[in-house]
Structure formats: structure tokens, C-alpha cells
Amino acid sequence: MNAVKRLEIFRRLHEDNPDPKTELAYTTPFELLIAVILSAQATDVSVNKATARLYPVANTPQAIYALGVEGLSAYIRTIGLYNSKARNVIETCRLLIERHGGEVPQNREALEALPGVGRKTANVVLNTAFRQLAMAVDTHIFRVSNRTGIAPGKNVVEVETKLMKFVPRDYLMDAHHWLILHGRYVCVARKPRCGSCRIEDLCEYKAKPSDD
């Protein structure tokens, strides 16, 4: 895919959604961090339902740590893998309190040192909470990048590197949100909705189905 096509793709995505947001509910960087940890192999909807119960009771490292694993599990048991996630969140809260004064660090190395925080989670927090240029490649973004030809790659790191290189600079900050929403609602896994896709004429996917 050439630079002219990429520029037009992101121009249209921006035109349709000038101020894209994550669908995870949060009000602070810490709330976002915990929501993203909980969202692994779970839907944003299920995470939002759990945090809607949790955050009014505890939404700081100190308050969630005070709940303990058992106490936290009671709020998040509707989310898949809640036991291991509860352990990770409690340990993350402990480390935030001990190492960072209860604040979420604003650099990748410190974030990835927290339990349950991998490269994707760190990138989400850096980009969404702190507005740093970072690209969190999940299954949706990996699929869209490969299927359209925007940034094909064999693994998530390769796709991330290409996106950071090829996405036009003016659109790079919000590209993660546009791509994930496009993959979630239009360029879906089983049968992409090509007939109602805003960028169908620019996409290089060979086997485009109709919307029938």
C-alpha cells in the first residue's frame, strides 16, 4: 500500500470520527490501567459492568489493595480469568504504592514491570491516558492492518513497528482507536462488512464479500 492510500484512509476515518475514544470507562490513568488489565480475553462491556461496581468503592491503588484478592474478586468475578487478574491487580497496586507513590508511571519500562501489563496494555495507557505516540496492537488491529494492507506483519510487534512508521504523522495519535473500532464493528473477523466500509475502495483485501 502506498502513502497516498494510507493518507486517504486515515483522513476518512478522522472525518467520520474526529475525536475517537476507548470504549473502556475510566476517569483517571489508574482506572484505565486496571480496566485494560481486566480486559484481557474479555469484552469492554463486561469490564465496564464490573468497574461500574468496583470504582465507586475503590478506585485508587491504596483502596483496591486494601480489598485484597478475595475482596477484589467479588467485584470482578463476572470477567473471565478473574482469579489471576485479581492477583495481578493487587500486586500491581502494591508496586504502584511502593515504587511510584501511588501514581501510574508514564514510561513503558515501568509499566511493563507491573503484573498483568504487557506491551499492548502499556501502549494503551501511554497513548490514551498520557497522549504519547504509541500503538497498541490487539487482535482487531492486527487483522485490519494485515487484511487491508495498511501495515502487514507476521506478529504484533512487526505490525506495531510498521504502523508507527507508515501512519501519517497527523493521524498517528488516534490511529489506534480508529483501527480498533474499525476492526470491532466493520472489518470483523468472520465476514468483513465490506459493502458498508468507508475505505473499501482503498483496501487491498482480495476476497471482499458483499454485505448480503
Side-chain angles (χ1 to χ4, degrees):
M1 181 175 286
N2 61 46
V4 174
K5 272 190 179 181
R6 288 195 187 93
L7 180 61
E8 179 60 14
I9 284 172
F10 285 99
R11 188 199 68 77
R12 291 184 194 179
L13 295 175
H14 172 267
E15 183 177 67
D16 290 351
N17 187 2
D19 190 25
K21 303 291 186 187
T22 178
E23 293 186 316
L24 288 171
Y26 77 99
T27 58
T28 66
F30 174 73
E31 287 186 358
L32 177 64
L33 172 63
I34 299 308
V36 180
I37 292 174
L38 296 177
S39 73
Q41 299 179 52
T43 66
D44 288 0
V45 171
S46 67
V47 172
N48 288 342
K49 285 179 180 177
T51 56
R53 296 189 299 270
L54 171 65
Y55 289 161
V57 175
N59 70 338
T60 65
Q62 295 83 353
I64 289 182
Y65 185 67
L67 290 175
V69 173
E70 243 181 85
L72 176 59
S73 294
Y75 288 98
I76 66 169
R77 65 176 65 254
T78 53
I79 301 173
L81 307 174
Y82 73 90
N83 277 321
S84 61
K85 289 177 182 179
R87 289 192 293 272
N88 283 338
V89 168
I90 292 300
E91 182 63 8
T92 285
C93 290
R94 184 183 71 80
L95 294 175
L96 288 175
I97 295 165
E98 291 184 1
R99 296 179 182 176
H100 305 287
E103 299 295 322
V104 177
Q106 298 188 35
N107 68 83
R108 180 190 310 284
E109 185 180 7
L111 283 167
E112 289 189 19
L114 300 170
V117 178
R119 186 176 185 87
K120 184 190 79 172
T121 298
N123 280 337
V124 172
V125 173
L126 291 173
N127 177 260
T128 304
F130 300 123
R131 301 303 284 163
Q132 296 182 24
L133 292 178
M135 188 67 63
V137 178
D138 69 349
T139 55
H140 296 299
I141 294 177
F142 184 80
R143 179 176 65 256
V144 171
S145 298
N146 275 286
R147 186 182 272 167
T148 61
I150 290 172
K154 294 177 181 177
N155 55 61
V156 292
V157 175
E158 188 177 347
V159 169
E160 178 189 329
T161 301
K162 287 187 176 180
L163 285 170
M164 293 298 291
K165 178 181 179 181
F166 293 141
V167 173
R169 188 78 177 180
D170 288 349
Y171 298 112
L172 191 55
M173 184 66 77
D174 291 319
H176 156 257
H177 294 303
W178 287 316
L179 291 172
I180 195 171
L181 291 170
H182 192 69
R184 188 172 284 167
Y185 297 111
V186 182
C187 197
V188 295
R190 291 189 178 180
K191 187 181 178 184
R193 301 184 177 112
C194 297
S196 53
C197 176
R198 185 78 159 85
I199 60 170
E200 182 188 11
D201 59 313
L202 303 166
C203 171
E204 298 184 352
Y205 184 48
K206 304 296 185 201
K208 293 176 184 173
S210 68
D211 277 2
D212 298 335

